[in-house]
């Protein structure tokens, strides 16, 4: 038939395709599932939750709307034929049936979800626990309602709480149901603590419904809270298991500290990284393993982690390993807060960065060092002068400029190898005749500079003369040649009112004067 329709109106058939309805898709899906033999489990899995959800929505609506709506008809009928107060009839009807619906609704929901609870109660231990608690519930409730002397309505709450703790919502619902069945039987028979109330029989039954509603409102929220706590405990256990798995197999050290800085957990990798067993640091402060030079800085960094819990903090420090050596470590830390934004703990990840720090130091050294002589280059020496003036503006200091005499003649007469040998020899003479804290730099070519921290110009002049005399008495060997060389020196004080460029200019003027007066001499800058 489709071929005939296509023959009669091909354009219309192709231009207006009709999409299959949702019901058609479901029928095709079910037929396909039936052929595969999986239709029944799939239908059961899909139908279980939606039916319960729809029943829950209908029951929530019915608990309020249905009693009030039907109460209007009852109140009007009794008022018309018996002259009763319609408002009192409507209120009694609504309250009674509403409380009844409140109690009966969970029973209906349990019946809809019966498969789920049957699967959970498959173990013998669960069945035994259920029988014991149900027997206790029946016995206590029977003893409570079988007597009329004492107001023991609170006594059934105890087994109800036990049932709620054991089976959560199902236990709360079934417990209230058992109390309702047993208590209703005794109350209708004129027995039980309800009979101690002064009122009509209808009022007593209404109060009994109110009593059941109170039990329900006590047990069900408590059961919901227990279920939520159990789900939270499962989630926390899963998270803890993942955390343990990661920390046990990661190469970095993972530590958890309390807000006071005491170690609560240390991963096994701590033994491989630092040599210290993880148990040896539990309950102690990790600052004990930090080098004393960096301890104050690490404490300040930890305070920042606590004060700024939303940020990830990184800092480096030197730590002592088990063999007594010192290595560089990098820490990444972040605080963990609770719902009240209070810091509960601090999680830190520590890795060794000694090789990286060594490479960084080597790069810095290469950037700041003259490749031939090993002293500071011009830029690094200038930075050292500026830093000295900034850190100690009132401390005296002296700058000396050295220039090798007739260095061009050494290169021209003996070759560049001899010139290089002269530069290396002069750098060794400087190191041998100056203090450890004196800063040596090569400004370029045959020109050197020395910073004398804390020395006056007179003391610096004496040190420069010692260098000059050592150099002029030395014999320099380069290849087959042997020669001597001298140096001229210009000395200038480093004053707080002078910039670095001005100090260099003044020292250079003194150096030019030493050369003009015959070389191989030291000259102080003019006052």
């Amino acid at each position: 038939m489709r071929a005939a329709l296509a023959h009669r109106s091909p354009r219309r058939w192709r231009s207006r395709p009709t999409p299959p309805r949702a019901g058609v898709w479901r029928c095709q899906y079910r037929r396909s599932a039936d052929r595969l033999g999986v239709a029944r489990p799939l239908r059961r899995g899909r139908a279980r939750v939606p039916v319960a959800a729809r029943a829950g929505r209908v029951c929530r609506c019915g608990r309020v709307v249905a009693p009030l709506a039907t109460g209007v008809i009852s109140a009007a009928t009794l008022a018309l034929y018996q002259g009763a107060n319609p408002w009192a009839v409507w209120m009694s009807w609504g309250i009674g049936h509403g409380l009844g619906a409140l109690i009966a609704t969970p029973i209906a929901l349990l019946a809809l979800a019966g498969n789920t609870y049957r699967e959970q109660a498959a173990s013998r231990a669960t069945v035994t626990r259920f029988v014991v608690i149900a027997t206790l519930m029946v016995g206590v409730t029977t003893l409570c309602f079988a007597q009329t002397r004492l107001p023991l309505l609170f006594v059934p709450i105890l087994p109800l709480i036990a049932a709620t703790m054991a089976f959560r919502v199902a236990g709360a619902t079934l417990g209230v149901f058992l109390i309702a069945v047993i208590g209703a039987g005794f109350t209708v028979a004129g027995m039980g603590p309800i009979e101690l109330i002064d009122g009509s029989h209808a009022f007593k039954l209404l109060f009994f419904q109110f009593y059941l509603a109170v039990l329900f409102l006590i047990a069900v929220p408590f059961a919901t809270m227990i279920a939520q706590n159990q789900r939270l405990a499962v989630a926390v256990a899963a998270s803890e298991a993942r955390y343990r798995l990661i920390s046990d197999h990661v190469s970095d050290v993972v530590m958890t500290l309390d807000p006071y800085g005491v170690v609560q957990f240390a991963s096994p990798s701590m033994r491989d990284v630092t040599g210290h067993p993880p148990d040896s640091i539990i309950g102690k402060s990790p600052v004990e393993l930090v080098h004393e030079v960096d301890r104050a800085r690490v404490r300040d960094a930890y305070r920042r982690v606590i004060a700024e819990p939303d940020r990830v903090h990184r800092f480096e420090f030197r730590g002592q390993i088990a063999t007594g050596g010192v290595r560089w470590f990098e820490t990444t830390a972040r605080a963990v807060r609770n719902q009240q934004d209070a810091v509960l703990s601090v999680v830190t990840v520590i890795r060794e960065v000694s090789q990286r720090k060594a490479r960084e130091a080597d790069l810095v050294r290469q950037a700041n060092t003259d490749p031939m002589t090993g002293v500071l280059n011009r830029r690094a020496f200038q930075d050292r002068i500026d830093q000295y003036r900034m850190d100690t503006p009132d401390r005296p200091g002296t700058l000396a400029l050295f220039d090798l005499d007739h260095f061009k003649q050494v290169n021209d007469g003996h070759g560049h190898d001899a010139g290089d040998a002269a530069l290396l020899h002069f750098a060794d003479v400087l190191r041998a005749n100056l203090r450890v804290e004196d800063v040596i730099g090569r400004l370029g070519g045959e020109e050197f500079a020395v910073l004398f921290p804390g020395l006056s110009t007179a003391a610096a002049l004496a040190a420069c003369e010692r260098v000059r005399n050592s150099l002029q008495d030395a014999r320099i060997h380069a290849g087959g040649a042997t020669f001597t060389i001298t140096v001229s020196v210009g000395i200038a004080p480093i004053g707080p009112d002078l910039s670095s460029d001005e100090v260099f200019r003044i020292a250079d003027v003194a150096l030019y004067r030493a050369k003009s007066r015959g070389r191989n001499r030291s000259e102080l800058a003019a006052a």
Side-chain angles (χ1 to χ4, degrees), residues 167-338:
F167 300 102
R168 299 186 293 282
V169 177
T173 303
L174 294 177
V176 174
F177 179 74
L178 288 176
I179 296 174
V181 171
I182 298 173
F186 282 101
T187 302
V188 171
M191 300 177 62
I194 301 296
E195 293 299 319
L196 298 175
I197 300 175
D198 186 14
S200 63
H201 189 67
F203 178 77
K204 293 177 181 179
L205 292 177
L206 185 63
F207 181 82
F208 179 69
Q209 287 182 318
F210 173 74
Y211 167 71
L212 295 177
V214 170
L215 293 182
F216 179 81
L217 294 177
I218 290 175
V220 172
F222 181 61
T224 304
M225 181 182 66
I226 293 176
Q228 291 177 349
N229 289 338
Q230 288 182 344
R231 288 193 295 268
L232 180 61
V234 171
V236 170
S239 178
E240 179 70 15
R242 289 192 295 268
Y243 175 74
R244 292 279 182 173
L245 180 63
I246 295 173
S247 62
D248 289 347
H249 294 83
V250 73
S251 58
D252 300 335
V253 179
V254 179
M255 286 199 307
T256 303
L257 294 79
D258 65 11
Y260 301 99
V262 178
V263 178
Q264 298 175 327
F265 168 78
S267 63
S269 56
M270 185 173 185
R271 186 188 303 272
D272 300 330
V273 175
T274 66
H276 297 282
D279 296 339
S280 65
I281 194 64
I282 302 297
K284 300 179 181 179
S285 173
V287 180
E288 299 177 3
L289 304 181
V290 178
H291 194 274
E292 58 183 7
V293 177
D294 297 332
R295 286 181 181 176
R297 186 166 53 85
V298 170
R299 290 191 181 98
D300 293 338
Y302 191 79
R303 295 189 188 100
R304 289 196 300 270
V305 174
I306 299 296
E308 302 174 358
D310 293 331
R311 289 184 51 216
V312 176
H313 300 260
R314 289 184 177 86
F315 52 92
E316 297 176 349
F317 63 92
R318 281 160 289 189
Q320 299 174 350
I321 61 176
T323 57
V326 177
R327 296 180 182 177
W328 276 97
F329 297 93
E330 179 189 65
T331 295
T332 302
R334 182 165 185 173
V336 178
R337 298 183 296 175
N338 57 14

Side-chain angles (χ1 to χ4, degrees), residues 331-348:
T331 295
T332 302
R334 182 165 185 173
V336 178
R337 298 183 296 175
N338 57 14
Q339 295 180 350
Q340 289 75 30
D341 291 337
V343 176
L344 296 178
S345 60
V346 174
V347 178
T348 63

